[in-house]
Structure formats: structure tokens, C-alpha cells
Amino acid sequence: MLIPAIWIAALTYASELTLLSMGFTLTYLTAKIPNFAHGTYAGIGIYVSYTFSKILGFSPYWGFPFSFVIGGLISILIYFLVIGVLQRLGGGAIVLTISTLAIQIFLAGATNIYAFWLRAKYSTYASLFMLKDFDFKLGDFPGIFIVSMGLTVSCVILLHYMLTRTKIGVAMRATAEDPELASVLGININQVQVFSWFLTGGMASLAGSMIPLWFMSTPTTGAMMITPIMAGSLLGGFENVYGAVIGGLAVGVSEIMLTYWGSVILGAWVGEYRPLIPMIFLVIILLIEPRGLQGVWEKIIASDSGQSILKSLGLLKEEPVT
Amino acid sequence: MIQEIALGLLTSSVAVEGTSRLIVDIAMYFGLFVIVAMALNFQYGNAGIPNMGCAVQVIIGGFTVSAITTRLIFTLAGNAGVEILPWTSDYDWVYNSPVNVNIVNSWLSGKPLFCISMLLFTIAINLVLGAVIGWLISLPAIRLRATYLMIVLITMADASQIFGRNITWISGGTLGLFIPDIFKWYSGDRTIVMAIITLLIGLISFFIFRTMLNSPYGRLMRAIRENEVTVGSVGKNVTGIRRNILMFASGITAISGALIGFYFSYVVEANYQRALWTYWPWLMLILGGPGNNAGTFLGCALVTALRRIIIVNKWFLQEVFFFPIAYFEQILLGVLLIAVIIFRPNGIIPEKLLYIPGVNYRKLVDEEVVVDWRSASKSRGASSGISGIFRTLGGKKEEAGD
């Protein structure tokens, strides 16, 4: 095999995490809150895949568009019922964050109940499963590896195109910068918010529906992924979608590879501490540079030696205005 | 009638059952959660620190009981000549735990003074270790935005459980560990004494918190909650004060973790889940009204009674649902939290004005109110949030932590 299986797992996981981190950052940009329910959307995607493959008998890949739409609709519903109401009432950042935690608890409970409903209705064991059997093979590679990488890359390109070239994307960026000024210029902030919540929820659910094709999934898998998502987003600077792409990839690859190398060198007990790796990332980033890679980049640009290095590499085209 | 029940409970020499059992259970859990929720009120309601890591602080209490107090009792019992099975290796520590605890319990039955000193020792150690862990969890994000602190604390609650699950010498890993019964000398049901002691500690910590809130330091805390930039500009160390508050409240919160270890005579990391020890206390705090100890008591009583009644009656409820009742609890918790935040942002009992001896505070506020209509807030949350008092005093106010 061209690439070892562990690297395939790491890259698949990292591309799923990148999609999730991008959505998390986009929510933070437009709504100014860390959405703790973001990982739980992935849990919804997992069960869309399960329903399509085990209950309806299709390939799980047919469920991806439905997963996107269902996740987006749930996200819009959350915006209309909770977040939008609280924003109108003037709740602060802390109150809004607590409300996303409440949504996370609610959605996690609902996912669990759905799993038990499947068990009661179709008598399948829906609480711990893996859908590797439903995957196809493309040459030497499992299909999900190609599909997840391709979907993530195309999502990044589409998002970049949307944010820079289309009207709604520019409106989203304007809303993220300054909502009041954007509304003065005639941008319907409410519409932009609804669109961004639909997009982030859909992307998260899409990423979630790819998880069971390679990884063992339980109803809490999605909720547990919130720490790596936040670590990836924080590594990228928390307020930069492109940073989140790099951050998500880095955290995803290092979570799996560090666990693997650790278990090879130190022994099998390292595997139990896998959830700690994103936490260590979080703590180290906050201790060293709370603004992540974006902050590091800005520091390099601001310093003289950094500028000379960038010039010699040919990366810096014009003098930055100080 | 209540006195008769109380007397009957105290003097009965058999294990309590039925409705009395439920009452003792609710009292115990009320005491535990009142300690946690009051410390949370101290941190969030009064100082504006959104501590989402109560579970870390509580788990430290549990780990203290299992890793330190139990070891100490075993060592002292061994020195006193009690023949206990080997317990020094990890394997013996877990698998000999029930037998050892049984042997030690019979030794403890004649030593009330020793037992009480062990309890006091545990509480003292808890205060110290809780403060240490409060300092540790404050390191990464105390000077940053409030939402960063929430993120770090939530993830740390999971980290502490992972350590408890995998390091055997702390609390026996996934199997858990038995704890010597330090109320063996009492002839009746030990849970009643435990509940009374817990309620007593809750009462003591209530008075400590109340004194602190009515002192100049309490006013400083509220000022930080309202506008940290202003407080920093008059020469107060905002970060240091925040860290001190987190450390102090951590120490108090850790006691409840130790008490629940003694109550069950058993410590396992699964007992200290994030949902139980962080989200439910937050619901109690927000339901009762942040920044207000009476509200915390009320919220605690309501939520604890609701939860215990659901748990005690779960076999009847289980026949109605096709899924485990725990998930129904999750749904209930989420819906209640959102409903309270939307419909009663101030809680059942809103925050009252500060008590400052010798100052007619209400008159001061009434005179100052609505100075400029442009700075008067437009929305409901801004005018009557948890911090309406200072906002009307100080005019326009930036969101704390942003």
C-alpha cells in the first residue's frame, strides 16, 4: 500500500475535523459565540449515515446531501428558537455560550433517544457501530479516504470563492466585521445569520456522516469531538477561517499520529490518553499565543527580522502599512 | 410533626427506608449541591467568572478521600497492629479494597475521636488541594476572554475523569474504591449523620460567603463583574483578584466531593461526571437567580427535589419510556436551562442591592437613575440583567470579558 493505514486514518480524521473547525470558526465570526453544540451536529450526521445504510439499505454516501440539509435545518431551528431570541433580548456572550451548552445537552440526549428508538423499532444495536462494510474501494484506498479529502478540499475552495466573490459571502464578512455598520449599508443581518447557521450546521453534519465509515461511532462521538474542534479553531486564530483549515488538519493528524507513536514507543496505555492531546494543544496555545497562528503571523509581519526573512523567501510582495 | 420525624430518624438504629430514605437523600444532595452552587454563585454571580469546571474541583475532593485519607487510615491501622491484607501495589490496592475496608471498619467502630479527626483532616486537605487546583486551572485563560476560560475549564473536567479512570492508585480506576466508614461508631444509620454534617458545612460556607460579599472585597468583586477596565484603572489587580476568587471557591467546592465519597463509602470517577457536577449546579444558579444566595438556595432545593424524585421513581417511569431515563433527564436539563435563560433571565429571585452599613444605598440609586436617555438601555436584558444595578449607576457598560 502506498500510504500506511494509520496515515489514511489520520488524514481522514483530520479532513473531517477541518470541516468541523471551519464551521465552528464561521459561527464564531458571525454570531460571536463559541458554539458548544457544534460537535453534536456531527452526531446527527452519524445517525443520518446509519439510517441510510442499515435501515433504508442504501449506500451511506447517498445520505450525505440529506445529512447536509438536515444539519442545516436543525441549525436554523436553533437560531430561530434560542440564539436569535437571546440576541434580541440582549444576552451577553456568557449567557449565549451557556445556551449553546444547553442545546448541546439537549441534542446529545435526543441523539441517544433516537439510537434507542432504532433499537426498539428495528431491533438493531445502534449504540456502537461502524459502517466500513458499506464503503467502496478505489484502487488501494478505501473510498472514504478519497471522498473525505475531496469533500474537504472542495468545501474549502467553495467557501473561499463564496466569501470573496459572491454577494452573500461579502455580506457575511461585513456582518462579521461590524454588524451595525453592515445593517446601515443595507445588508439584512438576519438573513446573513440564518444563511451562516445553515451553512455551518450543514457542514458539521456532513463531516459527521463521514465519521462512521472509518471510525467506531457511538451517540456521544459527536459531542466528544468538540475539544479537538475548538483546539483546531484556536490554533488557527479563532477568527480566521483559513487558519481553521490549517489548525484542524494539524490537530487531527497530530491527535492520531502522536497517539500511535506514543503507543509504539511507550506502550499501549497511551491510547487511553488520546482525548488529552487536543486539550494539551488548547492549553499550550493559550499560554504561549492566545491568538494562535494568526497572532504568530502578525508578529512575524510586524517584526523587522521576520520581514527580511519573508522578503528573501519571496512571500512578501509589498511593504505593510504600519 | 417534623420534629418527630427528625427525632425518629436520628434515634432509629435500623437503616431508614421508604419516604424517610427519600427525605435523607434529598437533604444530602441538597447540602452537596448547595455548597457547589453557592461557590459558583460566588464566582459567576458576584465576580463574573464563568466557572464551567466545577466538576474538576469536586473530583479533587473525591480523589483526596480515596488516595490520601484511605491510605492514611490503612497506614495508621497497620501501625496499630490491625492485620490487613497487602495494599501497597496497584493490584492489591483495588482488589483487596473491600476486605481491607471491612477489617478497618470494625477497628474504627470504637474510635469516634479518631474518625472525626479524619473527617476534619480530609476537609483541611481538600481546602488546600482545591486551592492548588484552582490556581492550576486558572493558569491558561484567567487573563483572557471569559469564553476562553469556559472552553478550557470544560475540557479540563473531561481530562480529570480520564486521569481518574486510568491511574489506578488514585481511585481504583474503573472499578472504583471502597472508603472506610468513618461513622462506624454511630449506632444508627450513618447517612443521617452524613446529611446533617453536609447541611452544617453548607450553612457554614453560606455564612463565610455572605460575610465576604458584604465586605469591601465583595464590593470589589462586583465592581470587577461590572467593568474590569474601570477597576484596573484605579489600581486594582483584576487578574490576581480573579485568581484568588477561583482558588478560594475551588477549595470550598472540593469539600462536597469528599462528602459524597464518605456518603457512599465508595469513590469512582464515573460518579463525578461533568453533566452532574457542572451543568446541574449552573441550572440551579440560573434558575434561582445569580448574584443572590437566597435564590441559589431556592434553585438548589427545587432542582434537587425534582432530580431525586425522578431517580427514586425511575422504575415506574421506565415502563413509559423505551429509552433509559437518564436521557430524559438530559432533555429536561437542556430545555429547563434554555427556558430559564429566555423567560426569566434574572432567576426566580432577582439580585438585591448591596448592603453597606451606614449608607442609604437605595436612595443613592434612585437619585442617580436615568441621567441621560441616550445611554439608557433599549433591550430588556440590558436594563434588567444580573447586573442592572451597577449599569444604571454607571451608564453604558461594556460586556464583561469582551
Side-chain angles (χ1 to χ4, degrees):
Chain A
M1 199 177 266
L2 207 63
I3 305 174
I6 189 75
W7 273 100
I8 291 181
L11 287 173
T12 311
Y13 179 72
S15 48
E16 287 157 5
L17 200 63
T18 307
L19 266 186
L20 286 164
S21 284
M22 257 166 28
F24 184 82
T25 312
L26 213 58
T27 317
Y28 190 78
L29 279 174
T30 48
K32 303 287 176 220
I33 45 163
N35 184 6
F36 279 94
H38 202 78
T40 325
Y41 296 159
I44 293 163
I46 288 173
Y47 276 90
V48 173
S49 267
Y50 185 88
T51 314
F52 259 80
S53 52
K54 288 254 168 117
I55 308 294
L56 300 177
F58 296 114
S59 162
Y61 290 103
W62 288 111
F64 283 10
F66 291 92
S67 171
F68 188 87
V69 174
I70 289 170
L73 288 180
I74 287 173
S75 185
I76 288 183
L77 206 65
I78 285 168
Y79 174 71
F80 275 126
L81 288 181
V82 186
I83 307 286
V85 176
L86 279 172
Q87 276 175 344
R88 270 202 300 284
L89 291 178
I94 294 174
V95 172
L96 279 165
T97 314
I98 294 168
S99 77
T100 63
L101 270 172
I103 294 162
Q104 189 254 310
I105 299 164
F106 179 86
L107 283 181
T111 321
N112 269 308
I113 287 171
Y114 181 68
F116 273 92
W117 179 78
L118 286 178
R119 198 172 89 164
K121 178 104 191 214
Y122 298 100
S123 50
T124 57
Y125 189 66
S127 294
L128 183 71
F129 63 90
M130 209 171 176
L131 302 174
K132 252 184 182 170
D133 304 342
F134 292 86
D135 203 3
F136 64 90
K137 278 228 171 240
L138 211 76
D140 264 351
F141 299 112
I144 186 62
F145 174 61
I146 312 285
V147 169
S148 65
M149 296 282 278
L151 262 179
T152 307
V153 169
S154 50
C155 267
V156 171
I157 293 169
L158 274 177
L159 201 68
H160 175 73
Y161 176 78
M162 199 200 76
L163 284 175
T164 49
R165 298 281 188 280
T166 62
K167 213 171 174 184
I168 184 87
V170 175
M172 265 170 85
R173 272 163 60 205
T175 313
E177 285 290 328
D178 193 335
E180 285 176 10
L181 199 60
S183 66
V184 167
L185 288 172
I187 292 169
N188 187 345
I189 293 186
N190 198 31
Q191 233 170 42
V192 170
Q193 289 266 18
V194 169
F195 179 72
S196 109
W197 279 87
F198 177 79
L199 200 66
T200 52
M203 263 157 61
S205 184
L206 182 65
S209 57
M210 292 192 281
I211 293 173
L213 283 158
W214 187 275
F215 299 99
M216 199 58 105
S217 301
T218 66
T220 51
T221 305
M224 293 300 240
M225 275 184 84
I226 190 66
T227 316
I229 293 169
M230 286 189 299
S233 182
L234 199 64
L235 182 61
F238 226 56
E239 290 178 346
N240 190 335
V241 180
Y242 309 113
V245 176
I246 301 170
L249 271 176
V251 171
V253 169
S254 54
E255 186 181 336
I256 293 201
M257 292 318 288
L258 286 180
T259 317
Y260 173 69
W261 287 328
S263 59
V264 167
I265 296 165
L266 300 169
W269 57 270
V270 178
E272 289 288 325
Y273 293 92
R274 181 181 148 183
L276 281 185
I277 291 171
M279 286 174 206
I280 293 167
F281 261 94
L282 265 180
V283 170
I284 289 176
I285 296 163
L286 286 177
L287 280 177
I288 296 172
E289 175 56 62
R291 296 190 54 222
L293 291 175
Q294 198 193 2
V296 172
W297 176 248
E298 278 168 14
K299 266 187 189 167
I300 289 174
I301 286 186
S303 69
D304 291 339
S305 55
Q307 277 190 20
S308 60
I309 291 170
L310 287 178
K311 264 178 201 159
S312 64
L313 287 172
L315 285 171
L316 202 68
K317 288 184 185 88
E318 56 194 87
E319 287 286 319
V321 184
T322 48
Chain B
M1 187 213 161
I2 295 166
Q3 283 171 337
E4 279 170 16
I5 289 177
L7 271 177
L9 282 174
L10 261 178
T11 48
S12 68
S13 58
V14 287
V16 284
E17 276 169 6
T19 319
S20 315
R21 175 75 256 167
L22 182 62
I23 291 170
V24 172
D25 216 33
I26 290 177
M28 180 69 200
Y29 270 86
F30 173 73
L32 287 170
F33 277 110
V34 120
I35 296 171
V36 179
M38 231 162 19
L40 192 60
N41 182 24
F42 187 69
Q43 295 162 86
Y44 174 66
N46 291 294
I49 306 167
N51 180 8
M52 279 283 172
C54 303
V56 188
Q57 302 159 354
V58 175
I59 210 170
I60 286 302
F63 287 168
T64 313
V65 175
S66 63
I68 298 176
T69 312
T70 311
R71 270 204 171 74
L72 185 72
I73 290 177
F74 281 0
T75 316
L76 290 177
N79 289 348
V82 182
E83 288 182 10
I84 53 175
L85 298 177
W87 52 272
T88 40
S89 76
D90 273 0
Y91 182 86
D92 295 336
W93 177 241
V94 177
Y95 287 95
N96 289 344
S97 147
V99 183
N100 274 344
V101 166
N102 209 5
I103 298 169
V104 168
N105 273 353
S106 53
W107 177 68
L108 284 176
S109 59
K111 295 183 167 54
L113 268 179
F114 177 77
C115 290
I116 289 168
S117 66
M118 275 300 127
L119 180 68
L120 292 177
F121 168 77
T122 311
I123 288 172
I125 289 278
N126 264 328
L127 284 171
V128 175
L129 282 183
V132 170
I133 208 76
W135 178 71
L136 273 180
I137 60 179
S138 79
L139 271 184
I142 195 83
R143 36 183 99 242
L144 302 173
R145 231 178 295 200
T147 42
Y148 283 2
L149 189 68
M150 285 168 102
I151 289 170
V152 171
L153 291 179
I154 284 178
T155 55
M156 278 186 179
D158 283 353
S160 62
Q161 254 190 301
I162 292 170
F163 285 127
R165 193 152 52 230
N166 292 304
I167 302 176
T168 319
W169 58 264
I170 296 180
S171 69
T174 45
L175 288 172
L177 205 72
F178 288 87
I179 304 297
D181 180 5
I182 55 166
F183 294 101
K184 198 67 185 172
W185 45 272
Y186 179 66
S187 56
D189 193 312
R190 114 191 110 85
T191 54
I192 299 164
V193 191
M194 211 52 240
I196 289 169
I197 285 178
T198 310
L199 288 174
L200 216 67
I201 290 174
L203 201 65
I204 293 168
S205 50
F206 163 68
F207 280 113
I208 292 173
F209 283 136
R210 205 186 68 146
T211 317
M212 281 192 76
L213 289 178
N214 286 337
S215 71
Y217 201 79
R219 294 197 284 279
L220 185 59
M221 278 163 57
R222 292 190 184 207
I224 289 176
R225 180 190 71 188
E226 294 311 322
N227 196 335
E228 56 182 293
V229 180
T230 316
V231 177
S233 72
V234 294
K236 297 287 180 188
N237 179 3
V238 175
T239 312
I241 292 164
R242 277 206 180 137
R243 187 191 299 123
N244 291 352
I245 290 163
L246 198 59
M247 282 168 69
F248 179 73
S250 287
I252 303 271
T253 313
I255 295 175
S256 68
L259 290 173
I260 197 164
F262 284 130
Y263 180 66
F264 286 130
S265 276
Y266 181 66
V267 170
V268 68
E269 49 82 29
N271 246 342
Y272 298 91
Q273 272 166 3
R274 185 176 70 185
L276 177 60
W277 290 104
T278 308
Y279 298 153
W280 284 102
W282 268 89
L283 174 64
M284 291 163 193
L285 177 71
I286 294 175
L287 178 69
N292 172 3
N293 273 331
T296 311
F297 273 111
L298 186 64
C300 236
L302 286 177
V303 174
T304 314
L306 175 74
R307 273 206 79 217
R308 294 321 293 178
I309 287 169
I310 288 178
I311 288 174
V312 169
N313 294 318
K314 84 176 181 189
W315 301 116
F316 307 109
L317 293 168
Q318 195 66 73
E319 290 170 5
V320 186
F321 299 116
F322 56 83
F323 50 85
I325 204 78
Y327 302 126
F328 172 69
E329 257 195 337
Q330 275 187 8
I331 297 259
L332 197 70
L333 172 61
V335 170
L336 271 177
L337 252 176
I338 293 171
V340 171
I341 289 174
I342 290 179
F343 295 111
R344 281 211 75 100
N346 294 338
I348 298 172
I349 305 176
E351 188 180 352
K352 287 190 183 61
L353 290 174
L354 275 173
Y355 166 73
I356 304 173
V359 178
N360 190 349
Y361 205 66
R362 182 170 293 282
K363 197 180 158 216
L364 207 71
V365 171
D366 288 343
E367 279 172 1
E368 292 284 324
V369 110
V370 192
V371 182
D372 184 1
W373 62 268
R374 278 164 301 185
S375 66
S377 41
K378 299 171 195 72
S379 53
R380 187 178 114 197
S383 65
S384 63
I386 49 163
S387 46
I389 308 141
F390 272 89
R391 237 174 263 183
T392 45
L393 257 181
K396 197 174 183 227
K397 181 218 157 240
E398 294 296 322
E399 183 58 46
D402 260 345

